[in-house]
Amino acid sequence: MSLRPTTRAEARKKSYKVAVDAEEARWRREDVLVEMRRSKREENLTKKRCEAGPHHLGPPPTHACGMKIDNLSEMAEGAYSEDPAVQSSVITQFRRLLSDGAHIEEVVKAGIVPRVVEFILRHEAPMLQIKTALPVLRRLIHLNDEEVLVDACWAISQLSRGSKDRIQAVIEAGVCPKLVELLSHPSHKVLVPALRTLGNIVTGNDVQTQAVIDANIVSPLVQLLQHAEFSVRKEAFWAISNAIHGGSNCQIHCGALSVKHIRFLVCQGCIGPLCDLLAYPAPSINAVCMECLDKILEVGEANKHLGITAGRNLYAQMICDCDGFNKIESLLAHGNVVIYNMAVNILERFWVDDEEDIQDFD
Amino acid sequence: MAMEITQVLLSAQSPDGHTRTLAEANLKQFQEQNLPLFLLSLSVELSSEQKPPESRRLAGIILKNSLDAKDAVRKEELTQRWVSVDPSVKSQIKESLLRTLGSSVSDARQTSSQVIAKVASIEVPRREWQELIGLLLNNMTQPDAPAPLKQSTLEALGYVCEEVSPQDLEQDQVNAILTAVVQGMNQTEHSSEVRLAAVKALYNALDFAQTNFENEVERNFIMKVVCETTVSKESEIRQAAIECLVSIASTYYEYLEPYMQTLFGLTANAVRGDEEPVALQAIEFWSSICDEEIQIQEEFGEDNGESSSPHSNFIKQALPTLVPLMLETLLKQEEDQDQEDGVWNLSMAGGTCLGLIARTVGDAVVPLVMPFVENNITKGDWRSREAATFAFGSILEGPSIEKLARLVHSGLEFLLNAMKDQNSHVKDTTAWTLGRIFEFLHSAAGEYPILTATNLPHIMSVLLESIRDAPNVAEKVCGAIYFLAQGFEDAGSSSSMLTPYLGDVVSALLSTADRTDPSNVRLRSSAYETLNEIVRCGSIPETSNMVAHLLHEIMNRLSKTLELHIASSEDREKQGDLQALLCGVLQVILQKLSNSNETKPIILQSADQMMILFLQVFACRSSTVHEEAMLAIGALAYATGPEFAKYMQEFYKYLEMGLQNFEEYQVCSISVGVVGDICRALDDKVLPYCDGIMSQLLKDLSSPMLHRSVKPPIFSCFGDIALAIGEHFEKYVPYVIPMLQGAAELCSHLDVNDDDMQEYGNQLRRGIFEAYSGILQGFKGPKAALMVPCASPLLSFIEAVVRDKSRDEEVTKAAVAVLGDLADTLGPNTKILFKDCTFHMELLGECFRSDNDQLKETATWTQGMIQRVLVS
């Protein structure tokens, strides 16, 4: 409905020689408050989201033993105090002891590490504090106590989650070589959080991914992907898929480095285990698997155009050799439409020339 | 059978109060006892030629008020009551109404045409009373129809078009209405009363004429008739015809090309020679064309060269003749127009149009206006000087800074001196022009600095001097200071050129706010809002002392308002307005000082006193809370944090009063926001108040009267409360979850073609997601299992939202976050759900591809959470 003549005149009058628009100023003031609310709400939620869920940390130990420091057992009790102020001051003292390194054995024996780790996770979201938490954790992952290792690895995995800044802080703390070393640890309880951390790091930028590749992650990762028990395999799979997708978070900059990473992963034998997972009965895993193979095939295609592979997509050939082609083909019978579409897409893009009868798939 | 109510209707208009009250009570009783009979009796009264005109008129008015009300809820109620009246009674009433159109009493005819439109507004959209249009047209085509019947029939047609929407009428009905109306405009056949009614009806019918305007023959015919009517001998008819042209300009801009030459001639003649109301409409025609072209430019982005202009460039084409036309009007000022509200004359409308022209064509306007400015600005008579200044001020928005910067540099000194002109009107316009220069051209970080260390001292001394001038001039000076301060906001460095002057500026503004000249009501609020801008744009710590002093001064002033003598409701209102302005300043100060740890202690030192003041401000009113004081309390809560707990006991009753006030939905909405602020400040210390708050919020949500805009913030507020009190939220879950699920259901039924509803749907979705996020994160731990039953419905809702194309990025972010919260809090419980769904992968993929880092970060977190569930 067009405006009545009187309404139009009123609106013009209102905008005639306006000096200070008090109404707009008031509106803007309220808007600032609404914006502030929104960001505070977001901040509080983020803080809460960084707190570990209940299923991460082992149960708190029930007793402490063999102290060489006078008040260690008292301090240990304080760590479980109801009073948050007592708790906080005790934990701070423990952290100091752990950072010094001098009394590290005693502190571990006091069974207090899980509590310290839990505390770090609960209170240390902001970047600066991550940097102060990591030296403690770096010491802890060099210990031989399995329980401590588990807790410390989980803590690092939590801290490494989220932004590139956090990932950078973790890399700079120098924990990557030790984490890669831990990939040969016999216990899956250690393997899972170590893999989780490394998997988090490769969600970062190319340079960050390069840092873990330089720490020789790939070969043990491929090993785990082939031979470990399934909870570990899935974790390794997730880390590999992140490495392959490293470029997908920043498509514009997805340059030479991520292509290089993918070539390296293929050389180290990742195609075989990926093809195996195509047959795993979970659509979410199948889908991620196909995304990975798709990326690999794209690099294979690029290699072909570079003229270094005698006009063939060698990676496609390798996937066929690992029975991948047949497995993708059998996914066409999958009831899930997303899976079906992905399978069709891969087959059409990379094999349609060879397979005249691709039409039959539809 | 209708009842005789003549006497009661006459008594209801009696000069004797007692008689009147009694009669009104009688009518009310009758209405309540038997509505159909009451309505019928009124219509019989209205249509009876032998009854006195006074009782007939009132009967018509009561009838009209029984069908329509301003308040939407009341309106719906009246509609339902009419719908439920027996059809035979309704048809008798409608018959009486139509008969009355031919009455010899003009009051009765007019009222009847209005009532007919009200009935139509209820019935036509329901596809009832389909014969109405035919019956009305019949009145027009009868060869012997008397002029009064035609006039009131045209009025009825006009009102009907105003009341119903275009989709409610069939195209053949529209065609018939337009034909009847256009015939009614025919000069040779009809009296001036009939023709005026016809033009006014056409105005209302234009919105229905889309199809007719698409057809060249019909369009030509309509345009020809309207153009002819703009030169009728009766000025009222000319005015109404140009009003039609204004409406056509905004509704059918794209069809105007062939007529523009003619329209320019007609409107130019009207601007130059016609009576003022007609001339004003002719200027409005061009302003409306500007509005259209500006809007199209904004929608399609700035034009990429001459060839690809997104519109017809009517203004650009008319520029060489249009600009001089508007410049002429600038010289037609009235003596004291700036000191009075409500004046609207040729010079004001012309200047407004010139400003719009500048915004439409940019640089091209400058060479056409500058000679006028230069020739007139030094002339002896004030009209020339004022017109020249107004012309210059009007073209400061639109042209490029490059084009204007040189002109402003060379003219600034002149303008500053003109602030000493002997004519107040010239000073007013000069101060406004200075404000526009600062608003559009001054930016400390800009490429063409207007303010320099050399000219700033002169500028400041002139402004500080002129702020003491007449109220209308002082108000414009406030505006100049406002934009001056704003331009220094992005100075970047810690020091601003303006800082040395701030002490003087602040005290000048405080004195201005204290002025008692009665003639300018806006001056006080302008002074305080300018103060706010100074605080907001000042650099901390450089200005922190100044702001601290100001804080005490404002608190002092607020405390003085409590001592004002209140004798009338007008006094009360004035007190409330002043308190609003002062609380506004306190909000800005609170926000400014909370931003930095160095300045926060300044607030904390005064927090107790401030809170006492706010509580006293609340106590000044009995029924409603003071909105600005409420907002200030929200800002205070952030500054004090958990310390705010000590104020809660006192404050709670006002908070509750605010939450209860859903009739004034802004008050309710602000109070809901403050609940969130308090939750974040207090965390679990808010627990003792949660039962009261929650029951009030739930009550609000269940009320059909609650304005819909308050719902999304209430949902977000549930999340805030849940996050603050964690597992203590358990007892509210049985009430809150059904509300959330009901709202989620509602989201899928909103009309996606309506932009407002689409926007509302997005707000609602975000509110729902934020509620779930808060509850899920609050329950993380032993109570998590409580939310397991919600997981599957929530996941379906998220999926539905993800599939919806109308969601905005904020909704996407809230959706991906709540997905992570679900996985985070419920852990392995959700494994089975995530294992079999794939939409979250598409969603995550979409988030990773976006340019929004926050969104990517949230998605990364969510991906981690889901992964953890899948490998568990």
Side-chain angles (χ1 to χ4, degrees):
Chain A
M1 183 85 188
S2 73
L3 297 171
R4 311 286 318 161
T6 46
T7 322
R8 273 173 199 271
E10 276 313 311
R12 301 278 184 221
K13 247 185 252 183
K14 235 180 123 189
S15 62
Y16 167 75
K17 268 173 130 183
V18 176
V20 177
D21 189 338
E23 209 171 298
E24 198 215 280
R26 189 197 170 283
W27 174 81
R28 212 180 46 197
R29 209 159 54 229
E30 202 183 325
D31 217 41
V32 169
L33 191 65
V34 168
E35 267 316 304
M36 192 164 88
R37 263 179 204 145
R38 193 174 293 175
S39 78
K40 298 258 181 195
R41 173 180 295 136
E42 198 55 35
E43 198 181 304
N44 282 4
L45 276 168
T46 307
K47 217 189 274 170
K48 196 84 182 175
R49 282 171 185 146
C50 290
E51 285 178 17
H55 31 284
H56 284 187
L57 301 168
T62 45
H63 60 87
C65 57
M67 280 143 281
K68 284 184 191 156
I69 303 166
D70 296 347
N71 58 349
L72 206 55
S73 77
E74 212 176 287
M75 280 169 67
E77 274 171 35
Y80 291 97
S81 158
E82 291 286 303
D83 183 343
V86 173
Q87 225 189 67
S88 155
S89 101
V90 167
I91 300 267
T92 310
Q93 290 180 51
F94 273 118
R95 281 181 53 180
R96 211 165 290 139
L97 289 172
L98 286 168
S99 306
D100 290 348
H103 300 288
I104 200 156
E105 291 293 322
E106 290 92 325
V107 178
V108 170
K109 280 184 187 149
I112 206 70
V113 169
R115 189 68 180 157
V116 175
V117 169
E118 187 192 335
F119 200 84
I120 287 173
L121 290 178
R122 178 139 32 98
H123 297 278
E124 322 246 313
M127 276 307 296
L128 236 175
Q129 286 160 333
I130 290 181
K131 288 184 177 140
T132 64
L134 279 162
V136 178
L137 295 168
R138 189 182 56 197
R139 274 183 194 287
L140 294 176
I141 58 170
H142 282 271
L143 297 178
N144 282 327
D145 185 313
E146 188 182 312
E147 287 291 309
V148 171
L149 268 179
V150 170
D151 284 346
C153 286
W154 272 120
I156 298 174
S157 82
Q158 290 284 321
L159 296 180
S160 64
R161 210 173 63 191
S163 68
K164 298 197 174 39
D165 291 346
R166 287 164 154 249
I167 292 172
Q168 194 58 31
V170 171
I171 292 174
E172 282 170 11
V175 295
C176 291
K178 182 66 195 178
L179 287 171
V180 171
E181 197 186 311
L182 286 175
L183 295 186
S184 51
H185 198 279
S187 166
H188 73 277
K189 285 193 199 155
V190 175
L191 283 169
V192 169
L195 279 166
R196 178 73 55 83
T197 308
L198 293 164
N200 282 341
I201 295 174
V202 296
T203 62
N205 59 34
D206 284 347
V207 179
Q208 290 170 335
T209 302
Q210 187 64 41
V212 279
I213 289 180
D214 289 346
N216 289 323
I217 185 187
V218 176
S219 166
L221 199 56
V222 172
Q223 286 295 315
L224 289 172
L225 195 55
Q226 279 169 301
H227 306 297
E229 65 173 275
F230 199 73
S231 65
V232 177
R233 257 174 89 193
K234 274 199 280 190
E235 202 65 41
F237 166 64
W238 177 68
I240 286 233
S241 70
N242 281 346
I244 290 173
H245 278 275
S248 69
N249 289 6
C250 48
Q251 282 185 328
I252 302 156
H253 308 292
C254 174
L257 204 49
S258 48
V259 170
K260 196 179 102 190
H261 294 158
I262 290 177
R263 285 193 194 128
F264 185 66
L265 284 163
V266 172
C267 288
Q268 295 287 317
C270 76
I271 284 184
L274 283 176
C275 290
D276 291 345
L277 283 170
L278 283 172
Y280 187 75
S284 55
I285 287 187
N286 306 147
V288 177
C289 231
M290 277 194 284
E291 280 175 12
C292 292
L293 292 173
D294 190 272
K295 274 260 166 192
I296 290 172
L297 284 162
E298 270 177 14
V299 174
E301 205 63 16
N303 288 346
K304 183 172 95 182
H305 294 307
L306 283 175
I308 53 178
T309 58
R312 305 195 55 191
N313 187 335
L314 288 185
Y315 295 169
Q317 185 57 47
M318 287 163 82
I319 290 171
C320 284
D321 295 346
C322 297
D323 205 25
F325 176 79
N326 290 334
K327 281 179 181 145
I328 296 174
E329 216 178 40
S330 53
L331 284 175
L332 291 172
H334 201 287
N336 187 311
V337 65
V338 175
I339 300 286
Y340 169 83
N341 286 336
M342 289 174 97
V344 168
N345 186 24
I346 289 193
L347 293 172
E348 282 184 347
R349 282 170 62 211
F350 300 104
W351 278 283
V352 76
D353 292 342
D354 309 344
E355 297 285 324
E356 301 282 312
D357 57 349
I358 195 83
Q359 295 306 324
D360 295 350
F361 298 147
D362 293 326
Chain B
M1 194 49 225
M3 276 176 52
E4 174 75 32
I5 51 170
T6 313
Q7 197 47 53
V8 193
L9 287 167
L10 291 174
S11 302
Q13 302 171 76
S14 153
D16 175 53
H18 180 70
T19 316
R20 219 166 45 232
T21 318
L22 201 68
E24 280 164 7
N26 270 335
L27 287 170
K28 199 165 180 325
Q29 195 189 8
F30 185 15
Q31 181 176 26
E32 279 162 9
Q33 277 171 355
N34 191 338
L35 182 75
L37 187 60
F38 177 66
L39 297 176
L40 183 64
S41 307
L42 289 170
S43 71
V44 169
E45 184 78 20
L46 176 63
S47 64
S48 306
E49 289 293 301
Q50 64 275 32
K51 299 285 184 189
E54 296 77 21
S55 67
R56 295 177 68 183
R57 209 185 101 257
L58 185 60
I61 291 171
I62 297 176
L63 201 49
K64 193 176 82 176
N65 293 342
S66 308
L67 295 163
D68 191 19
K70 279 210 175 91
D71 177 75
V73 177
R74 169 96 184 128
K75 184 177 176 152
E76 182 54 31
E77 201 183 310
L78 293 174
T79 301
Q80 289 312 324
R81 273 160 54 176
W82 172 260
V83 170
S84 62
V85 169
D86 184 84
S88 68
V89 176
K90 281 192 285 198
S91 80
Q92 285 181 63
I93 294 174
K94 289 185 275 189
E95 206 180 302
S96 304
L97 290 171
L98 284 167
R99 201 167 53 240
T100 314
L101 290 178
S103 163
S104 56
V105 179
S106 75
D107 259 0
R109 288 199 306 270
Q110 251 169 24
T111 322
S112 181
S113 62
Q114 288 171 10
V115 181
I116 287 171
K118 296 296 176 195
V119 175
S121 80
I122 296 175
E123 298 204 337
V124 171
R126 291 180 156 71
R127 296 287 177 255
E128 293 165 4
W129 210 9
Q130 291 297 296
E131 66 280 17
L132 169 67
I133 303 295
L135 291 169
L136 289 174
L137 293 173
N138 208 22
N139 288 346
M140 296 304 295
T141 47
Q142 276 172 14
D144 53 345
L149 175 64
K150 286 188 173 172
Q151 184 194 348
S152 51
T153 301
L154 285 166
E155 280 168 3
L157 283 169
Y159 293 137
V160 169
C161 289
E162 201 180 351
E163 292 284 343
V164 307
S165 348
Q167 68 265 22
D168 292 331
L169 291 183
E170 303 295 335
Q171 186 58 42
D172 56 349
Q173 292 179 313
V174 172
N175 293 344
I177 292 174
L178 285 171
T179 309
V181 164
V182 169
Q183 277 170 4
M185 287 164 73
N186 188 323
Q187 246 177 4
T188 52
E189 279 179 37
H190 297 296
S191 69
S192 63
E193 289 82 6
V194 172
R195 283 185 288 125
L196 182 60
V199 193
K200 289 193 165 168
L202 176 66
Y203 185 92
N204 289 328
L206 280 171
D207 282 326
F208 294 75
Q210 180 66 43
T211 313
N212 312 82
F213 263 83
E214 285 164 12
N215 177 314
E216 197 189 334
V217 177
E218 295 182 37
R219 181 174 69 231
N220 282 341
F221 184 65
I222 296 174
M223 289 305 290
K224 178 173 162 286
V225 175
V226 176
C227 287
E228 280 167 9
T229 313
T230 64
V231 292
S232 305
K233 14 182 229 306
E234 300 86 351
S235 72
E236 231 184 323
I237 296 180
R238 293 198 300 275
Q239 182 188 340
I242 302 187
E243 282 170 5
C244 287
L245 288 180
V246 170
S247 176
I248 290 170
S250 38
T251 316
Y252 302 111
Y253 171 89
E254 66 269 35
Y255 301 113
L256 284 183
E257 177 89 68
Y259 316 106
M260 281 314 277
Q261 201 75 35
T262 313
L263 293 174
F264 183 85
L266 288 171
T267 50
N269 286 339
V271 172
R272 292 211 167 95
D274 211 325
E275 292 169 30
E276 191 174 57
V278 186
L280 285 174
Q281 282 307 319
I283 296 176
E284 181 57 39
F285 172 79
W286 289 101
S287 292
S288 298
I289 296 278
C290 289
D291 284 346
E292 287 307 306
E293 297 195 347
I294 290 169
Q295 199 193 336
I296 296 170
Q297 275 161 213
E298 278 169 1
E299 270 169 29
F300 291 84
E302 288 305 309
D303 58 324
N304 332 307
E306 301 285 311
S307 56
S308 63
S309 183
H311 56 65
S312 313
N313 286 315
F314 294 143
I315 297 297
K316 206 179 234 174
Q317 289 171 31
L319 210 55
T321 34
L322 187 58
V323 169
L325 183 67
M326 293 306 152
L327 290 173
E328 280 171 39
T329 66
L330 298 185
L331 291 157
K332 298 183 179 167
Q333 308 96 325
E334 281 168 60
E335 208 55 66
D336 287 324
Q337 67 184 40
D338 281 336
Q339 271 126 61
E340 284 161 46
D341 280 334
V343 180
W344 188 242
N345 61 35
L346 280 186
S347 73
M348 298 164 107
T352 301
C353 187
L354 186 59
L356 291 168
I357 292 171
R359 285 177 55 201
T360 313
V361 301
D363 287 356
V365 82
V366 177
L368 293 167
V369 172
M370 283 318 287
F372 178 85
V373 175
E374 283 151 9
N375 288 337
N376 287 286
I377 205 155
T378 51
K379 280 196 179 157
D381 84 297
W382 71 264
R383 285 174 199 279
S384 304
R385 295 198 302 279
E386 196 278 336
T389 316
F390 193 23
F392 186 58
S394 297
I395 60 164
L396 290 170
E397 186 185 9
S400 60
I401 296 183
E402 294 91 312
K403 189 91 183 171
L404 293 171
R406 191 186 51 81
L407 297 171
V408 166
H409 270 299
S410 56
L412 191 60
E413 200 61 24
F414 185 94
L415 288 171
L416 291 171
N417 292 330
M419 288 308 294
K420 297 195 178 66
D421 199 290
Q422 68 265 38
N423 180 279
S424 164
H425 198 146
V426 173
K427 288 190 283 188
D428 182 296
T429 303
T430 305
W432 171 76
T433 301
L434 287 170
R436 302 256 298 175
I437 290 175
F438 301 148
E439 181 177 4
F440 297 111
L441 304 175
H442 151 56
S443 156
E447 206 179 323
Y448 300 90
I450 297 294
L451 297 176
T452 61
T454 327
N455 63 22
L456 193 61
H458 189 197
I459 292 172
M460 293 316 295
S461 82
V462 167
L463 293 177
L464 287 169
E465 169 80 30
S466 300
I467 201 171
R468 296 202 298 264
D469 210 316
N472 58 308
V473 178
E475 191 209 330
K476 305 297 190 299
V477 173
C478 285
I481 297 174
Y482 182 100
F483 291 113
L484 189 84
Q486 202 173 69
F488 282 112
E489 186 187 6
D490 44 10
S493 67
S494 59
S495 179
S496 139
M497 273 203 304
L498 195 59
T499 307
Y501 301 97
L502 288 186
D504 287 343
V505 172
V506 167
S507 62
L509 288 168
L510 286 169
S511 323
T512 306
D514 279 341
R515 280 170 67 155
T516 47
D517 339 42
S519 55
N520 192 326
V521 284
R522 289 186 304 262
L523 181 55
R524 178 179 276 179
S525 65
S526 297
Y528 279 122
E529 289 299 351
T530 304
L531 212 47
N532 290 340
E533 204 61 6
I534 300 237
V535 172
R536 199 178 67 79
C537 301
S539 58
I540 295 284
E542 218 174 52
T543 58
S544 52
N545 272 339
M546 183 272 283
V547 179
H549 279 297
L550 185 61
L551 172 64
H552 291 117
E553 173 61 25
I554 299 294
M555 283 168 58
N556 210 1
R557 287 177 175 225
L558 188 55
S559 131
K560 282 190 186 140
T561 65
L562 301 166
E563 295 152 17
L564 287 173
H565 176 65
I566 306 295
S568 63
S569 61
E570 196 187 334
D571 288 348
R572 172 81 58 215
E573 195 181 322
K574 274 190 186 154
Q575 182 195 38
D577 289 348
L578 180 54
Q579 287 169 340
L581 293 169
L582 293 166
C583 287
V585 184
L586 290 177
Q587 280 165 41
V588 176
I589 294 177
L590 281 165
Q591 281 169 1
K592 187 76 183 181
L593 296 181
S594 309
N595 273 341
S596 123
N597 281 332
E598 291 152 53
T599 49
K600 218 181 209 171
I602 304 174
I603 302 176
L604 300 182
Q605 282 155 20
S606 304
D608 288 356
Q609 271 174 285
M610 237 185 290
M611 196 62 200
I612 292 170
L613 281 171
F614 294 145
L615 292 171
Q616 286 172 326
V617 169
F618 284 138
C620 286
R621 297 191 187 176
S622 52
S623 61
T624 177
V625 296
H626 198 285
E627 292 171 42
E628 295 286 331
M630 197 53 113
L631 285 169
I633 285 176
L636 183 65
Y638 283 118
T640 60
E643 290 290 299
F644 193 84
K646 62 180 171 184
Y647 308 129
M648 273 309 281
Q649 202 154 8
E650 277 293 304
F651 171 55
Y652 179 71
K653 64 175 171 187
Y654 298 112
L655 183 62
E656 192 169 57
M657 201 188 273
L659 294 175
Q660 278 165 354
N661 195 350
F662 50 70
E663 290 94 347
E664 289 172 88
Y665 69 92
Q666 288 99 336
V667 175
C668 189
S669 175
I670 285 171
S671 308
V672 170
V674 170
V675 171
D677 299 338
I678 288 170
C679 286
R680 283 180 282 275
L682 295 187
D683 266 326
D684 54 2
K685 289 207 180 81
V686 76
L687 192 57
Y689 304 96
C690 284
D691 279 354
I693 292 171
M694 283 301 296
S695 72
Q696 199 48 58
L697 292 176
L698 290 166
K699 218 182 277 174
D700 285 344
L701 280 179
S702 332
S703 164
M705 307 270 280
L706 183 77
H707 192 274
R708 66 169 200 224
S709 70
V710 192
K711 278 190 186 179
I714 291 183
F715 289 137
S716 307
C717 188
F718 285 155
D720 297 338
I721 294 173
L723 200 62
I725 65 173
E727 56 190 42
H728 298 290
F729 198 78
E730 180 179 356
K731 59 177 163 180
Y732 309 124
V733 166
Y735 307 97
V736 168
I737 298 296
M739 292 274 187
L740 292 173
Q741 288 173 346
E745 176 68 21
L746 177 74
C747 285
S748 58
H749 298 309
L750 295 175
D751 179 4
V752 288
N753 298 317
D754 180 337
D755 286 352
D756 282 350
M757 287 319 267
Q758 196 169 314
E759 155 115 37
Y760 176 63
N762 279 330
Q763 288 169 357
L764 203 54
R765 288 172 178 134
R766 206 170 77 197
I768 296 168
F769 288 147
E770 284 175 347
Y772 277 115
S773 283
I775 298 170
L776 283 165
Q777 285 299 337
F779 278 164
K780 193 152 76 179
K783 295 277 183 184
L786 274 172
M787 292 300 285
V788 170
C790 306
S792 178
L794 175 56
L795 211 56
S796 310
F797 176 54
I798 301 171
E799 180 165 9
V801 172
V802 168
R803 304 253 178 260
D804 186 302
K805 293 284 169 284
S806 65
R807 76 187 140 96
D808 61 25
E809 199 170 54
E810 291 290 332
V811 172
T812 307
K813 187 158 159 278
V816 80
V818 79
L819 206 54
D821 294 327
L822 202 55
D824 185 18
T825 295
L826 300 184
N829 287 310
T830 53
K831 187 174 179 178
I832 182 124
L833 296 172
F834 281 114
K835 223 174 108 181
D836 292 321
C837 76
T838 44
F839 83 88
H840 65 273
M841 290 190 286
E842 296 163 42
L843 176 64
L844 290 169
E846 179 192 320
C847 296
F848 290 137
R849 284 190 299 274
S850 104
D851 306 325
N852 183 332
D853 282 338
Q854 260 194 323
L855 184 59
K856 275 194 240 182
E857 196 165 315
T858 309
T860 307
W861 176 78
T862 296
Q863 188 185 39
M865 287 297 116
I866 295 175
Q867 213 72 53
R868 197 180 72 195
V869 166
L870 290 174
V871 302
S872 62

